[in-house]
Amino acid sequence: MIDPETFSHLIELASFEFEPDQADYLLDQLNRQLKTIDDLAAVPIDENLPIEIHGVPYPAENSQGLRGDKSSSFPVRDLLTTQFPQFEDGYVIVPDIPHQELG
């Protein structure tokens, strides 16, 4: 479960602002969800139980094979690159994102 001090710290790290009643509600809801996950994780499940989807058996012979990963170039590269605000020497130029060190 998430204690109020940890929750306050997480809110600060995420730069969220909540009214006190909103924060209390969110903390309560998160803890309820975590409890439900703990309850579900505690249900014993036989490791040999076959995989099923919505109660329908899903044997390996019915599943699709993995798709092969193939790379290909975009056929009209210039059409795509003209949409970028800045593009130079084959690279998209992005603005510097200011950040601060977390300590």
XYZ file of all heavy atoms in Angstrom:
821
model
N 0.833 -1.183 0.000
C 0.000 0.000 0.000
C 0.886 1.260 0.000
O 2.029 1.222 0.433
C -0.904 0.015 1.231
C -1.897 -1.120 1.275
S -3.007 -1.083 -0.131
C -3.255 -2.800 -0.387
N 0.323 2.323 -0.476
C 1.052 3.589 -0.558
C 0.692 4.422 0.662
O -0.477 4.723 0.891
C 0.673 4.360 -1.840
C 0.960 3.512 -3.077
C 1.410 5.689 -1.902
C 0.433 4.117 -4.360
N 1.693 4.806 1.445
C 1.424 5.634 2.615
C 1.338 7.105 2.181
O 1.821 7.479 1.115
C 2.504 5.432 3.692
C 3.880 5.813 3.209
O 4.150 7.024 3.129
O 4.672 4.898 2.911
N 0.703 7.949 2.983
C 0.512 9.352 2.603
C 1.813 10.106 2.317
O 1.857 10.946 1.415
C -0.213 9.959 3.813
C -0.925 8.805 4.434
C -0.025 7.615 4.218
N 2.886 9.785 3.041
C 4.153 10.481 2.808
C 4.728 10.135 1.438
O 5.187 11.015 0.698
C 5.174 10.129 3.905
C 4.818 10.628 5.286
C 3.755 9.766 5.981
O 3.622 8.559 5.662
O 3.036 10.307 6.826
N 4.695 8.861 1.083
C 5.190 8.436 -0.230
C 4.329 9.024 -1.331
O 4.837 9.499 -2.353
C 5.192 6.891 -0.336
O 6.025 6.369 0.702
C 5.693 6.428 -1.692
N 3.027 9.029 -1.120
C 2.108 9.601 -2.106
C 2.405 11.085 -2.315
O 2.477 11.555 -3.451
C 0.662 9.390 -1.654
C -0.350 9.867 -2.647
C -0.552 9.189 -3.847
C -1.119 10.991 -2.389
C -1.484 9.630 -4.764
C -2.057 11.429 -3.298
C -2.244 10.749 -4.486
N 2.619 11.817 -1.238
C 2.947 13.244 -1.347
C 4.246 13.442 -2.116
O 4.362 14.353 -2.951
C 3.070 13.877 0.037
O 1.838 13.877 0.687
N 5.224 12.584 -1.856
C 6.501 12.661 -2.559
C 6.310 12.393 -4.058
O 6.876 13.097 -4.899
C 7.484 11.674 -1.943
C 8.836 11.688 -2.584
N 9.691 12.774 -2.496
C 9.477 10.766 -3.334
C 10.799 12.509 -3.163
N 10.694 11.295 -3.686
N 5.499 11.396 -4.401
C 5.240 11.082 -5.805
C 4.514 12.227 -6.514
O 4.826 12.553 -7.663
C 4.422 9.794 -5.922
C 5.138 8.515 -5.488
C 4.177 7.340 -5.469
C 6.329 8.237 -6.383
N 3.576 12.845 -5.825
C 2.861 13.995 -6.394
C 3.848 15.123 -6.682
O 3.796 15.753 -7.733
C 1.746 14.471 -5.432
C 0.596 13.472 -5.436
C 1.248 15.851 -5.817
C -0.482 13.796 -4.425
N 4.753 15.350 -5.758
C 5.754 16.411 -5.944
C 6.684 16.086 -7.110
O 6.975 16.949 -7.950
C 6.563 16.593 -4.663
C 7.553 17.726 -4.737
C 8.328 17.901 -3.437
O 7.801 17.542 -2.366
O 9.463 18.398 -3.517
N 7.147 14.832 -7.203
C 8.030 14.439 -8.304
C 7.342 14.600 -9.663
O 7.978 14.971 -10.644
C 8.486 12.990 -8.134
C 9.504 12.712 -7.045
C 9.764 11.214 -6.937
C 10.800 13.465 -7.311
N 6.055 14.296 -9.705
C 5.310 14.381 -10.955
C 4.830 15.803 -11.242
O 4.243 16.058 -12.287
C 4.115 13.430 -10.914
N 5.076 16.722 -10.326
C 4.639 18.116 -10.457
C 3.124 18.230 -10.618
O 2.623 19.038 -11.389
C 5.343 18.800 -11.637
O 6.726 18.838 -11.429
N 2.397 17.381 -9.879
C 0.934 17.460 -9.880
C 0.500 18.402 -8.764
O 1.200 18.578 -7.767
C 0.294 16.089 -9.628
C 0.409 15.132 -10.775
C 0.572 13.779 -10.538
C 0.337 15.556 -12.095
C 0.663 12.876 -11.583
C 0.426 14.661 -13.146
C 0.586 13.319 -12.885
N -0.661 18.979 -8.958
C -1.263 19.791 -7.907
C -2.682 19.288 -7.691
O -3.467 19.215 -8.631
C -1.296 21.264 -8.306
C 0.063 21.919 -8.321
C -0.008 23.408 -8.625
O -1.071 24.018 -8.384
O 0.995 23.943 -9.104
N -2.991 18.900 -6.470
C -4.324 18.427 -6.127
C -4.836 19.205 -4.929
O -4.065 19.607 -4.056
C -4.302 16.939 -5.735
C -3.958 16.009 -6.860
C -2.767 15.302 -6.857
C -4.829 15.818 -7.920
C -2.457 14.425 -7.873
C -4.523 14.943 -8.945
C -3.336 14.249 -8.923
N -6.132 19.370 -4.896
C -6.775 19.858 -3.675
C -6.670 18.720 -2.663
O -6.586 17.547 -3.043
C -8.245 20.205 -3.944
C -8.449 21.347 -4.920
C -7.910 22.672 -4.397
O -7.989 22.898 -3.169
O -7.410 23.466 -5.209
N -6.673 19.024 -1.363
C -6.523 17.959 -0.359
C -7.542 16.828 -0.524
O -7.195 15.651 -0.404
C -6.695 18.681 0.971
C -6.262 20.079 0.690
C -6.692 20.351 -0.739
N -8.794 17.165 -0.817
C -9.799 16.107 -0.957
C -9.551 15.266 -2.211
O -9.804 14.063 -2.229
C -11.216 16.677 -0.947
C -11.468 17.683 -2.063
O -10.527 18.404 -2.445
O -12.614 17.741 -2.564
N -9.010 15.887 -3.270
C -8.683 15.136 -4.479
C -7.530 14.173 -4.213
O -7.554 13.023 -4.656
C -8.288 16.080 -5.617
C -9.407 16.937 -6.149
C -8.897 17.945 -7.166
O -7.839 18.552 -6.978
N -9.648 18.117 -8.245
N -6.527 14.635 -3.496
C -5.373 13.786 -3.178
C -5.802 12.614 -2.302
O -5.374 11.473 -2.537
C -4.284 14.610 -2.487
N -6.652 12.885 -1.307
C -7.142 11.813 -0.437
C -7.919 10.774 -1.241
O -7.761 9.571 -1.050
C -8.037 12.368 0.672
C -7.275 13.199 1.681
O -6.025 13.078 1.740
O -7.918 13.984 2.413
N -8.762 11.240 -2.160
C -9.552 10.341 -2.999
C -8.635 9.492 -3.878
O -8.807 8.275 -3.970
C -10.531 11.144 -3.859
C -11.280 10.303 -4.857
C -12.370 9.531 -4.460
C -10.890 10.256 -6.193
C -13.051 8.737 -5.365
C -11.568 9.467 -7.105
C -12.650 8.714 -6.692
O -13.319 7.930 -7.594
N -7.661 10.118 -4.525
C -6.758 9.401 -5.417
C -5.930 8.368 -4.650
O -5.770 7.231 -5.093
C -5.849 10.371 -6.158
C -4.897 9.755 -7.180
C -5.650 8.973 -8.244
C -4.061 10.848 -7.836
N -5.416 8.750 -3.489
C -4.647 7.815 -2.666
C -5.515 6.613 -2.280
O -5.082 5.464 -2.379
C -4.104 8.505 -1.421
C -3.369 7.616 -0.425
C -2.177 6.927 -1.078
C -2.933 8.430 0.783
N -6.748 6.871 -1.884
C -7.665 5.789 -1.521
C -7.921 4.867 -2.713
O -7.868 3.640 -2.587
C -8.983 6.369 -1.002
C -9.987 5.291 -0.677
O -9.691 4.459 0.217
O -11.065 5.253 -1.311
N -8.172 5.443 -3.884
C -8.454 4.636 -5.077
C -7.231 3.817 -5.495
O -7.360 2.646 -5.865
C -8.920 5.529 -6.229
C -10.280 6.153 -6.010
C -11.375 5.105 -5.843
O -11.513 4.226 -6.674
N -12.124 5.207 -4.766
N -6.052 4.420 -5.452
C -4.831 3.673 -5.792
C -4.615 2.502 -4.839
O -4.278 1.392 -5.261
C -3.622 4.608 -5.775
C -3.526 5.598 -6.927
C -2.413 6.606 -6.673
C -3.298 4.886 -8.243
N -4.820 2.738 -3.555
C -4.647 1.665 -2.575
C -5.693 0.569 -2.753
O -5.400 -0.609 -2.558
C -4.651 2.219 -1.153
C -3.305 2.820 -0.792
O -2.265 2.368 -1.258
N -3.322 3.849 0.039
N -6.903 0.934 -3.148
C -7.926 -0.084 -3.430
C -7.505 -0.948 -4.621
O -7.681 -2.163 -4.605
C -9.269 0.564 -3.720
C -9.970 1.108 -2.505
C -11.250 1.835 -2.902
N -11.835 2.511 -1.782
C -13.071 2.296 -1.352
N -13.833 1.429 -1.968
N -13.542 2.960 -0.325
N -6.962 -0.303 -5.654
C -6.515 -1.061 -6.823
C -5.350 -1.975 -6.466
O -5.296 -3.126 -6.912
C -6.143 -0.110 -7.958
C -7.356 0.585 -8.546
C -7.009 1.521 -9.669
O -5.903 1.502 -10.194
N -7.958 2.350 -10.060
N -4.411 -1.477 -5.670
C -3.292 -2.319 -5.248
C -3.766 -3.501 -4.407
O -3.243 -4.613 -4.541
C -2.268 -1.487 -4.474
C -1.474 -0.484 -5.311
C -0.635 0.406 -4.404
C -0.605 -1.195 -6.337
N -4.766 -3.279 -3.552
C -5.316 -4.376 -2.758
C -5.972 -5.411 -3.661
O -5.801 -6.620 -3.454
C -6.324 -3.866 -1.737
C -6.968 -5.006 -0.968
C -7.548 -4.601 0.329
C -8.175 -5.716 1.118
N -8.115 -7.056 0.637
N -6.687 -4.971 -4.685
C -7.313 -5.901 -5.616
C -6.256 -6.724 -6.341
O -6.402 -7.939 -6.512
C -8.183 -5.136 -6.639
O -9.199 -4.415 -5.927
C -8.840 -6.073 -7.634
N -5.166 -6.084 -6.745
C -4.073 -6.808 -7.404
C -3.474 -7.842 -6.451
O -3.215 -8.983 -6.838
C -3.002 -5.824 -7.915
C -3.569 -5.002 -9.069
C -1.733 -6.566 -8.337
C -2.716 -3.826 -9.473
N -3.268 -7.461 -5.187
C -2.756 -8.407 -4.192
C -3.715 -9.576 -4.010
O -3.294 -10.735 -3.900
C -2.532 -7.717 -2.847
C -1.291 -6.847 -2.819
O -0.437 -6.994 -3.719
O -1.180 -6.013 -1.902
N -5.022 -9.284 -3.948
C -6.025 -10.342 -3.788
C -5.996 -11.302 -4.972
O -6.067 -12.519 -4.796
C -7.428 -9.747 -3.635
C -7.621 -9.004 -2.325
O -6.771 -9.158 -1.414
O -8.611 -8.261 -2.214
N -5.884 -10.758 -6.177
C -5.841 -11.609 -7.371
C -4.553 -12.426 -7.418
O -4.565 -13.598 -7.811
C -5.963 -10.761 -8.642
C -7.343 -10.169 -8.908
C -7.272 -9.204 -10.086
C -8.365 -11.262 -9.161
N -3.448 -11.831 -7.009
C -2.174 -12.546 -7.010
C -2.179 -13.691 -5.996
O -1.430 -14.660 -6.157
C -1.025 -11.585 -6.710
N -3.016 -13.600 -4.976
C -3.077 -14.633 -3.949
C -3.908 -15.840 -4.379
O -3.871 -16.883 -3.720
C -3.643 -14.042 -2.655
N -4.645 -15.728 -5.468
C -5.465 -16.849 -5.941
C -4.535 -17.920 -6.506
O -3.762 -17.663 -7.422
C -6.470 -16.383 -7.024
C -7.206 -17.572 -7.612
C -7.431 -15.358 -6.454
N -4.614 -19.140 -5.958
C -3.727 -20.195 -6.458
C -4.168 -20.649 -7.856
O -5.343 -20.912 -8.093
C -3.888 -21.323 -5.432
C -5.199 -21.073 -4.780
C -5.447 -19.592 -4.851
N -3.226 -20.708 -8.767
C -3.502 -21.145 -10.134
C -2.522 -22.257 -10.475
O -1.308 -22.098 -10.297
C -3.352 -19.983 -11.135
C -4.365 -18.892 -10.814
C -3.529 -20.469 -12.562
C -4.235 -17.661 -11.668
N -3.063 -23.359 -10.961
C -2.230 -24.489 -11.356
C -1.342 -24.070 -12.520
O -1.814 -23.518 -13.512
C -3.131 -25.661 -11.765
C -2.352 -26.907 -12.156
O -1.105 -26.914 -12.024
O -2.996 -27.883 -12.582
N -0.040 -24.310 -12.399
C 0.894 -23.927 -13.457
C 0.633 -24.669 -14.762
O 1.025 -24.212 -15.831
C 2.333 -24.180 -13.003
C 2.791 -23.241 -11.918
C 4.240 -23.473 -11.531
O 4.987 -24.092 -12.310
O 4.616 -23.028 -10.429
N -0.030 -25.812 -14.684
C -0.316 -26.603 -15.884
C -1.661 -26.255 -16.511
O -2.084 -26.902 -17.465
C -0.279 -28.101 -15.549
C 1.094 -28.528 -15.070
O 2.109 -28.086 -15.617
N 1.137 -29.350 -14.045
N -2.321 -25.247 -15.990
C -3.612 -24.827 -16.531
C -3.419 -24.293 -17.948
O -2.571 -23.430 -18.174
C -4.208 -23.728 -15.641
C -5.626 -23.299 -15.955
C -6.591 -24.431 -15.637
C -5.987 -22.072 -15.148
N -4.161 -24.836 -18.931
C -3.960 -24.365 -20.310
C -4.436 -22.923 -20.487
O -5.341 -22.452 -19.798
C -4.812 -25.329 -21.141
C -5.812 -25.885 -20.191
C -5.177 -25.866 -18.832
N -3.808 -22.233 -21.416
C -4.163 -20.848 -21.706
C -5.515 -20.810 -22.395
O -5.778 -21.572 -23.328
C -3.084 -20.199 -22.590
C -1.747 -20.156 -21.853
C -3.516 -18.806 -23.033
C -0.601 -19.697 -22.711
N -6.380 -19.922 -21.947
C -7.697 -19.752 -22.551
C -8.018 -18.273 -22.632
O -7.527 -17.477 -21.843
C -8.774 -20.466 -21.735
C -8.590 -21.968 -21.668
C -9.728 -22.668 -20.955
O -10.670 -21.983 -20.506
O -9.694 -23.895 -20.848
N -8.829 -17.920 -23.606
C -9.302 -16.550 -23.727
C -10.816 -16.575 -23.544
O -11.521 -17.210 -24.320
C -8.928 -15.945 -25.089
C -7.418 -15.865 -25.222
C -9.578 -14.583 -25.283
C -6.948 -15.336 -26.555
N -11.297 -15.916 -22.516
C -12.729 -15.864 -22.207
C -13.328 -17.268 -22.116
O -14.414 -17.524 -22.604
C -13.490 -15.021 -23.234
C -13.011 -13.617 -23.305
N -13.224 -12.702 -22.307
C -12.294 -12.958 -24.246
C -12.673 -11.551 -22.627
N -12.093 -11.674 -23.798
N -12.594 -18.195 -21.520
C -13.095 -19.541 -21.330
C -12.996 -20.432 -22.553
O -13.426 -21.581 -22.524
N -12.457 -19.922 -23.636
C -12.302 -20.704 -24.855
C -10.858 -21.183 -24.929
O -9.941 -20.371 -24.851
C -12.654 -19.856 -26.105
C -12.421 -20.641 -27.378
C -14.074 -19.332 -26.015
N -10.655 -22.490 -25.084
C -9.268 -22.987 -25.173
C -8.506 -22.287 -26.296
O -9.053 -21.990 -27.347
C -9.446 -24.471 -25.469
C -10.815 -24.803 -24.981
C -11.633 -23.559 -25.171
N -7.246 -22.046 -26.064
C -6.390 -21.343 -27.027
C -5.098 -22.123 -27.191
O -4.042 -21.699 -26.745
C -6.120 -19.924 -26.524
C -5.580 -18.999 -27.564
C -6.360 -18.583 -28.629
C -4.274 -18.530 -27.489
C -5.861 -17.718 -29.582
C -3.759 -17.670 -28.441
C -4.560 -17.270 -29.486
O -4.063 -16.421 -30.433
N -5.178 -23.278 -27.857
C -3.959 -24.081 -28.018
C -2.989 -23.441 -28.997
O -3.368 -22.626 -29.838
C -4.483 -25.414 -28.561
C -5.786 -25.079 -29.203
C -6.342 -23.897 -28.450
N -1.730 -23.832 -28.885
C -0.676 -23.242 -29.713
C -0.954 -23.409 -31.199
O -0.650 -22.522 -32.001
C 0.668 -23.860 -29.345
N -1.568 -24.513 -31.602
C -1.817 -24.728 -33.034
C -2.863 -23.765 -33.601
O -2.952 -23.591 -34.804
C -2.211 -26.181 -33.330
C -3.468 -26.666 -32.636
C -3.212 -27.308 -31.276
O -2.092 -27.213 -30.763
O -4.157 -27.885 -30.728
N -3.630 -23.120 -32.741
C -4.613 -22.136 -33.211
C -4.075 -20.711 -33.211
O -4.725 -19.805 -33.713
C -5.873 -22.168 -32.343
C -6.683 -23.417 -32.562
O -6.408 -24.199 -33.458
N -7.683 -23.623 -31.729
N -2.911 -20.511 -32.613
C -2.370 -19.153 -32.536
C -1.569 -18.823 -33.785
O -0.975 -19.705 -34.411
C -1.498 -18.979 -31.292
O -0.358 -19.795 -31.373
N -1.595 -17.566 -34.158
C -0.819 -17.133 -35.316
C 0.659 -17.126 -34.975
O 1.048 -16.862 -33.842
C -1.228 -15.723 -35.734
C -2.583 -15.652 -36.378
C -2.829 -14.263 -36.935
O -2.350 -13.286 -36.380
N -3.569 -14.186 -38.018
N 1.469 -17.393 -35.976
C 2.902 -17.336 -35.775
C 3.355 -15.892 -35.618
O 2.617 -14.953 -35.929
N 4.560 -15.734 -35.127
C 5.092 -14.390 -34.955
C 5.360 -13.755 -36.313
O 5.806 -14.420 -37.254
C 6.389 -14.432 -34.145
C 6.254 -14.902 -32.698
C 7.627 -14.984 -32.050
C 5.353 -13.964 -31.920
N 5.096 -12.489 -36.404
C 5.344 -11.738 -37.618
C 6.839 -11.500 -37.743
O 7.522 -11.181 -36.769
C 4.563 -10.419 -37.523
C 5.091 -9.284 -38.329
C 4.303 -8.013 -38.075
N 4.595 -7.360 -36.828
C 5.671 -6.640 -36.568
N 6.609 -6.527 -37.462
N 5.839 -6.051 -35.413
N 7.347 -11.651 -38.930
C 8.763 -11.388 -39.152
C 9.038 -9.894 -39.160
O 8.257 -9.116 -39.710
N 10.101 -9.478 -38.520
C 10.467 -8.065 -38.510
C 11.258 -7.751 -39.776
O 12.324 -8.320 -40.010
C 11.314 -7.724 -37.279
C 10.481 -7.675 -36.019
O 9.275 -7.419 -36.122
O 11.044 -7.887 -34.933
N 10.706 -6.864 -40.589
C 11.375 -6.447 -41.813
C 11.395 -4.926 -41.844
O 10.368 -4.289 -41.639
C 10.635 -6.966 -43.048
C 10.680 -8.471 -43.210
C 9.960 -8.883 -44.465
C 8.605 -9.395 -44.034
N 7.751 -9.788 -45.117
N 12.542 -4.368 -42.102
C 12.623 -2.911 -42.213
C 12.534 -2.530 -43.677
O 12.928 -3.286 -44.558
C 13.922 -2.387 -41.603
O 15.021 -2.861 -42.339
N 11.969 -1.371 -43.896
C 11.901 -0.864 -45.268
C 11.924 0.656 -45.216
O 11.515 1.266 -44.231
C 10.637 -1.354 -45.972
O 9.490 -0.910 -45.292
N 12.395 1.247 -46.272
C 12.462 2.699 -46.349
C 11.110 3.244 -46.766
O 10.366 2.609 -47.512
C 13.510 3.131 -47.375
O 14.778 2.686 -46.983
N 10.812 4.446 -46.273
C 9.594 5.123 -46.695
C 9.768 5.482 -48.166
O 10.800 6.056 -48.546
C 9.375 6.370 -45.830
C 8.045 7.025 -46.036
C 6.892 6.434 -45.542
C 7.944 8.219 -46.719
C 5.660 7.039 -45.723
C 6.717 8.833 -46.908
C 5.571 8.232 -46.402
N 8.797 5.163 -49.023
C 9.010 5.345 -50.461
C 9.213 6.794 -50.901
O 9.913 7.056 -51.873
C 7.750 4.754 -51.085
C 6.754 4.657 -50.001
C 7.502 4.595 -48.717
N 8.613 7.739 -50.215
C 8.742 9.141 -50.611
C 9.277 9.916 -49.404
O 8.561 10.644 -48.733
C 7.378 9.718 -51.070
C 7.560 11.080 -51.720
C 6.670 8.776 -52.016
N 10.567 9.753 -49.148
C 11.190 10.327 -47.958
C 11.022 11.843 -47.900
O 10.734 12.404 -46.842
C 12.664 9.950 -47.930
C 13.402 10.507 -46.752
C 14.840 10.022 -46.757
N 15.541 10.593 -45.650
C 16.753 11.123 -45.748
N 17.395 11.122 -46.880
N 17.331 11.637 -44.692
N 11.197 12.515 -49.016
C 11.109 13.975 -49.019
C 9.722 14.458 -48.609
O 9.593 15.496 -47.963
C 11.487 14.534 -50.388
C 12.961 14.316 -50.696
O 13.750 14.169 -49.737
O 13.323 14.286 -51.881
N 8.698 13.720 -48.967
C 7.338 14.091 -48.571
C 7.210 14.068 -47.054
O 6.591 14.940 -46.455
C 6.322 13.135 -49.203
C 4.867 13.342 -48.827
C 4.376 14.695 -49.340
C 4.019 12.227 -49.401
N 7.844 13.093 -46.437
C 7.797 12.970 -44.986
C 8.647 14.035 -44.299
O 8.210 14.693 -43.361
C 8.265 11.571 -44.568
C 8.241 11.225 -43.097
C 6.811 11.231 -42.570
C 8.858 9.859 -42.864
N 9.865 14.234 -44.778
C 10.787 15.145 -44.095
C 10.395 16.610 -44.238
O 10.814 17.429 -43.423
C 12.229 14.940 -44.592
O 12.274 15.165 -46.000
C 12.718 13.545 -44.266
N 9.605 16.967 -45.228
C 9.167 18.363 -45.358
C 8.208 18.768 -44.243
O 7.962 19.950 -44.038
C 8.489 18.616 -46.720
O 7.375 17.742 -46.846
C 9.457 18.412 -47.863
N 7.677 17.779 -43.527
C 6.736 18.076 -42.446
C 7.443 18.430 -41.135
O 6.816 18.915 -40.208
C 5.811 16.886 -42.225
C 4.971 16.561 -43.444
C 4.099 15.356 -43.208
O 3.531 15.191 -42.142
N 3.997 14.512 -44.223
N 8.754 18.182 -41.051
C 9.491 18.493 -39.830
C 9.874 19.965 -39.811
O 10.291 20.519 -40.826
C 10.770 17.653 -39.739
C 10.527 16.174 -39.718
C 11.216 15.341 -40.576
C 9.609 15.617 -38.847
C 11.003 13.969 -40.567
C 9.383 14.248 -38.833
C 10.079 13.424 -39.693
N 9.744 20.621 -38.646
C 10.142 22.028 -38.577
C 11.608 22.238 -38.938
O 11.957 23.202 -39.603
C 9.894 22.419 -37.116
C 8.948 21.405 -36.591
C 9.177 20.150 -37.389
N 12.477 21.320 -38.501
C 13.904 21.423 -38.817
C 14.427 20.039 -39.190
O 14.253 19.071 -38.443
C 14.697 21.962 -37.626
C 14.380 23.407 -37.285
C 15.232 23.873 -36.130
O 15.149 23.315 -35.045
N 16.047 24.883 -36.369
N 15.065 19.965 -40.358
C 15.623 18.709 -40.844
C 16.922 19.046 -41.552
O 16.963 19.907 -42.427
C 14.639 18.044 -41.810
C 15.082 16.696 -42.285
C 14.964 15.589 -41.473
C 15.615 16.546 -43.547
C 15.366 14.345 -41.907
C 16.023 15.312 -43.999
C 15.897 14.199 -43.183
N 18.008 18.389 -41.128
C 19.314 18.733 -41.696
C 20.203 17.490 -41.769
O 20.327 16.744 -40.803
C 19.966 19.796 -40.798
C 21.264 20.341 -41.314
C 21.793 21.420 -40.379
O 21.065 22.400 -40.115
O 22.918 21.256 -39.893
N 20.823 17.279 -42.911
C 21.763 16.174 -43.130
C 21.173 14.819 -42.729
O 21.858 13.965 -42.161
C 23.072 16.406 -42.372
C 23.815 17.639 -42.856
O 23.724 17.941 -44.069
O 24.465 18.302 -42.024
N 19.887 14.612 -43.010
C 19.251 13.334 -42.711
C 18.781 13.174 -41.281
O 18.356 12.092 -40.886
N 18.858 14.241 -40.492
C 18.456 14.177 -39.092
C 17.359 15.195 -38.809
O 17.362 16.295 -39.334
C 19.638 14.470 -38.157
C 20.711 13.422 -38.206
C 21.821 13.584 -39.022
C 20.602 12.268 -37.441
C 22.805 12.612 -39.074
C 21.583 11.293 -37.486
C 22.688 11.464 -38.310
O 23.647 10.510 -38.357
N 16.444 14.812 -37.919
C 15.429 15.733 -37.433
C 16.047 16.517 -36.285
O 16.605 15.938 -35.352
C 14.179 14.974 -36.936
C 13.160 15.932 -36.348
C 13.565 14.156 -38.058
N 15.996 17.825 -36.355
C 16.540 18.694 -35.305
C 15.404 18.978 -34.320
O 14.342 19.458 -34.706
C 17.064 20.032 -35.889
C 17.957 19.801 -37.099
C 17.718 20.863 -34.802
C 19.240 19.104 -36.799
N 15.633 18.670 -33.061
C 14.622 18.916 -32.036
C 15.159 19.948 -31.057
O 16.367 20.033 -30.825
C 14.229 17.626 -31.278
C 13.561 16.633 -32.210
C 15.424 16.992 -30.610
N 14.273 20.757 -30.486
C 14.747 21.767 -29.532
C 15.267 21.108 -28.264
O 14.860 20.015 -27.891
C 13.500 22.606 -29.241
C 12.351 21.746 -29.618
C 12.837 20.814 -30.687
N 16.215 21.801 -27.628
C 16.746 21.324 -26.365
C 15.633 21.378 -25.324
O 14.880 22.354 -25.257
C 17.919 22.205 -25.930
C 18.630 21.647 -24.713
O 18.624 20.414 -24.534
O 19.191 22.444 -23.941
N 15.509 20.340 -24.532
C 14.485 20.290 -23.498
C 15.153 20.594 -22.167
O 16.022 19.839 -21.716
C 13.803 18.919 -23.460
C 13.132 18.629 -24.805
C 12.803 18.829 -22.312
C 12.602 17.241 -24.954
N 14.767 21.711 -21.532
C 15.393 22.031 -20.247
C 14.983 20.994 -19.202
O 13.872 20.463 -19.221
C 14.841 23.411 -19.901
C 13.613 23.571 -20.726
C 13.772 22.695 -21.918
N 15.877 20.669 -18.313
C 15.598 19.710 -17.262
C 16.355 20.114 -16.006
O 17.219 20.971 -16.036
C 15.985 18.297 -17.695
C 17.464 18.120 -17.866
N 18.132 18.533 -18.983
C 18.394 17.571 -17.045
C 19.418 18.260 -18.846
N 19.611 17.684 -17.695
N 15.999 19.468 -14.936
C 16.711 19.704 -13.697
C 17.060 18.342 -13.087
O 16.377 17.364 -13.295
C 15.884 20.517 -12.709
C 14.675 19.782 -12.152
C 13.852 20.662 -11.237
O 13.574 21.782 -11.578
N 13.443 20.121 -10.113
N 18.147 18.322 -12.394
C 18.592 17.103 -11.740
C 17.687 16.855 -10.518
O 17.377 17.774 -9.763
C 20.038 17.234 -11.268
C 21.044 17.328 -12.392
C 21.130 16.047 -13.192
O 21.060 14.951 -12.603
O 21.278 16.145 -14.431
N 17.257 15.613 -10.368
C 16.462 15.249 -9.198
C 17.427 14.759 -8.130
O 18.333 13.980 -8.405
C 15.446 14.166 -9.550
C 14.431 14.552 -10.619
C 13.541 13.367 -10.949
C 13.576 15.721 -10.139
N 17.234 15.205 -6.942
C 18.179 14.802 -5.927
C 17.583 14.368 -4.659
O 16.561 14.232 -4.280
